[in-house]
Amino acid sequence: MQKLHLVGFTTDRRSLIFSVRRGAKSGGYVVELDDELLDAIGATEEWPDEPEDSDEEVVAGLAAEPQGLPAPRAESALTVREIQSRLRRGGSIEEIAADAGVDASWVSRFAAPIRAEQAEIIRTVRA
């Protein structure tokens, strides 16, 4: 099994980029931050406090760079996909947040890429 090293986030902050080289500025592997992955990461809270031998370095590296970590996952009644779908259909951030049972700030994280998509569609139609 090949070990990968975290490079950072994609520009839309929906995925993580990994490289086979430690300290690389770019990488060839991308992992989407979908609900399944975020739930798996959340499940690690139930693990023992002491990391395994090979994981100790990774955990220490993440703790040293908190600015690169995503915001904590909110307990939403809607999946990210459902939130994005409602945003695409024109739902307001406040309405969707109320339906999902989360803060509007949680939903607004997903609004920027949707608005960028909509702006691109408008530019294409106008051209």
Side-chain angles (χ1 to χ4, degrees):
M1 184 180 308
Q2 188 170 19
K3 185 173 182 176
L4 299 175
H5 303 277
L6 180 63
V7 174
F9 286 94
T10 56
T11 54
D12 63 0
R13 299 185 63 83
R14 292 184 189 176
S15 304
L16 295 173
I17 303 169
F18 292 91
S19 172
V20 294
R21 293 185 340 240
R22 168 173 257 131
K25 299 288 183 197
S26 63
Y29 300 91
V30 177
V31 176
E32 183 180 352
L33 293 170
D34 60 7
D35 287 336
E36 185 178 347
L37 177 62
L38 293 172
D39 289 342
I41 291 170
T44 62
E45 293 175 359
E46 299 171 11
W47 291 1
D49 289 338
E50 295 182 33
E52 306 246 345
D53 296 355
S54 62
D55 293 340
E56 193 167 5
E57 188 176 312
V58 173
V59 171
L62 290 177
E65 297 180 27
Q67 72 276 7
L69 297 176
R73 179 155 168 71
E75 292 297 326
S76 173
L78 300 172
T79 66
V80 173
R81 184 169 285 160
E82 290 170 325
I83 290 170
Q84 290 174 329
S85 176
R86 289 181 179 206
L87 287 167
R88 283 186 183 100
R89 290 192 309 249
S92 77
I93 291 173
E94 291 75 20
E95 291 171 342
I96 297 168
D99 291 346
V102 296
D103 281 340
S105 63
W106 173 255
V107 174
S108 67
R109 298 175 49 192
F110 308 109
I114 303 306
R115 293 210 170 100
E117 288 174 9
Q118 293 168 339
E120 184 58 33
I121 291 168
I122 291 168
R123 275 192 288 270
T124 302
V125 169
R126 286 182 177 169

